[in-house]
Amino acid sequence: MQDTLVATNQPAPIQKGVRCRGPIWTLILLAPFLSEVLSGSTRLSVLFVYIPEVMVWGVGALLCRELVRRWRAGGTSLLLMGLALSVAEEFLIQQTSLAPLPFPGSHADYGRLWGVNLVYLLFMLGFESVWVVVVPVQVTELMFPTRSRESWLRRRGLMVACVVFLLGCRTAWYGWTQRALPMMRVAPYHPPLVALACGVAGIVMLIGLAYLLRDTGKPAAKKTRASAGAWVAGVAAFLASAAWWLVIMQLFIPKPIEPWWVVLVAGISWSVLAFALFASWASRPAWGLMHRWAAAFGATLGCTVSPYLSLSSWPKADLVAVVIFDVAGIVMFLLLGRRVARGV
């Protein structure tokens, strides 16, 4: 599931007079749609939160991609930037991995240690880095293949994006901690400064690693081993993605796996295995556009099937809406796959 769109070591610069509004707006809108809407995290009844999600997730994914392209970096750097964005969300913006879990029916103490919801954090690190950043960036670049190696933002656009992102972070923090939680009758929670400092340190470290490892994850011409078939990549991405939801399910099922650290170890091992597998495949010259499309499609399908595990508790309007959204997402991927296959 790595971003493997770097075909050469040098990205094409933005040509004067050429505007990139198409890919910019596509990525901004697609990131929260693929991650939040298709997964059922954002339902029709609360669709108004899509606006701050666009500002945080959409613009955040755009900024992650922009830095990676300016650094002439590979897929590993994009994943690390996605992890940095996830840490910002979980520790600084909405702080959901620090405060006791407020969701009805959840096991608030499951996997909570040192003031951190470790099992919840592990799931979110994978979810927000892959489905918010890596997959939407890959899909957008497949939609605009001639601009996949370009930087899409000029200096003014980069400044505007940073401002919008910070405003979105403030909006998301206020909307969740100051509005949503009181409506859920949850007592205010103020994370200790040391936890916030660890979040900041984690973000800086991940961005630094993304820069230092900028040559990792690029296609290697000297590798001659054949890559997996496109359908194999798609199935593997689906299985890896669908299995990832078993981590978050432990917080809501009546009898989660005990002890909770077994889930933590299994989840970390699974994520390392998936990364190593796709990093190996993607570094081979045979890994092409159809492979990238299939991997993105498989990962998205794994995300899409997740809400159907809890449909019995959903309002009818939300149920109908998620089916419509899912069908629209699948149709979009199929049309994109036809374009990629035809080389358009």
Side-chain angles (χ1 to χ4, degrees):
M1 289 175 286
Q2 278 205 324
D3 168 52
T4 59
L5 302 178
V6 182
T8 67
N9 289 334
Q10 295 186 355
I14 299 178
Q15 300 178 8
K16 292 184 178 180
V18 176
R19 298 187 181 275
C20 299
R21 290 178 180 175
I24 288 174
W25 281 105
T26 298
L27 178 55
I28 287 175
L29 297 175
L30 198 61
F33 179 76
L34 292 181
S35 58
E36 297 289 343
V37 176
L38 293 188
S39 71
S41 299
T42 298
R43 307 178 188 178
L44 180 66
S45 55
V46 292
L47 198 57
F48 58 89
V49 302
Y50 188 73
I51 296 177
E53 286 172 354
V54 166
M55 300 172 71
V56 177
W57 290 145
V59 178
L62 177 64
L63 291 173
C64 289
R65 181 205 177 273
E66 185 67 16
L67 288 177
V68 168
R69 289 295 169 261
R70 287 173 180 243
W71 293 340
R72 304 173 183 177
T76 300
S77 294
L78 183 63
L79 180 63
L80 289 169
M81 291 299 297
L83 288 171
L85 180 62
S86 178
V87 171
E89 167 73 8
E90 297 305 315
F91 280 74
L92 303 179
I93 303 173
Q94 292 192 322
Q95 304 168 350
T96 42
S97 288
L98 298 182
L101 295 177
F103 310 113
S106 64
H107 306 295
D109 295 330
Y110 187 82
R112 184 169 177 81
L113 184 66
W114 305 314
V116 180
N117 305 314
L118 294 178
V119 173
Y120 180 86
L121 173 62
L122 174 64
F123 172 81
M124 286 301 171
L125 287 175
F127 173 73
E128 291 162 353
S129 60
V130 173
W131 282 276
V132 172
V133 177
V134 175
V135 171
V137 167
Q138 181 142 256
V139 172
T140 303
E141 293 190 345
L142 286 172
M143 290 180 174
F144 301 91
T146 60
R147 297 186 174 181
S148 62
R149 294 186 295 112
E150 295 179 0
S151 295
W152 293 341
L153 296 174
R154 297 184 179 90
R155 181 178 299 178
R156 183 175 63 179
L158 185 61
M159 294 175 61
V160 171
C162 290
V163 171
V164 172
F165 175 73
L166 293 175
L167 289 175
C169 291
R170 171 66 179 181
T171 302
W173 173 84
Y174 179 81
W176 177 252
T177 65
Q178 307 301 307
R179 301 288 295 179
L181 291 182
M183 292 176 63
M184 299 168 65
R185 298 181 180 180
V186 175
Y189 180 81
H190 303 286
L193 291 178
V194 65
L196 300 178
C198 287
V200 173
I203 295 170
V204 173
M205 181 190 69
L206 288 166
I207 294 176
L209 280 175
Y211 180 77
L212 293 174
L213 300 178
R214 59 190 180 277
D215 292 327
T216 305
K218 295 181 179 179
K222 62 181 180 180
K223 290 191 176 182
T224 58
R225 291 180 59 190
S227 185
W231 71 271
V232 175
V235 172
F238 172 78
L239 295 176
S241 303
W244 190 246
W245 293 85
L246 296 175
V247 175
I248 195 70
M249 282 177 55
Q250 303 307 312
L251 296 170
F252 296 94
I253 60 178
K255 294 182 178 181
I257 296 175
E258 294 288 356
W260 59 263
W261 58 262
V262 173
V263 176
L264 199 68
V265 172
I268 294 174
S269 302
W270 185 255
S271 61
V272 171
L273 176 63
F275 171 79
L277 179 64
F278 280 90
S280 176
W281 285 346
S283 64
R284 302 171 188 176
W287 183 269
L289 295 178
M290 282 304 299
H291 294 83
R292 299 201 289 266
W293 171 82
F297 190 23
T300 303
L301 282 179
C303 174
T304 300
V305 300
S306 62
Y308 294 92
L309 300 175
S310 59
L311 290 182
S312 58
S313 61
W314 285 32
K316 184 177 181 180
D318 288 345
L319 174 59
V320 173
V322 76
V323 172
I324 294 175
F325 289 140
D326 289 347
V327 170
I330 292 174
V331 170
M332 178 198 72
F333 265 100
L334 293 178
L335 292 176
L336 177 61
R338 185 172 68 174
R339 281 184 55 191
V340 172
R342 292 178 176 178
V344 178

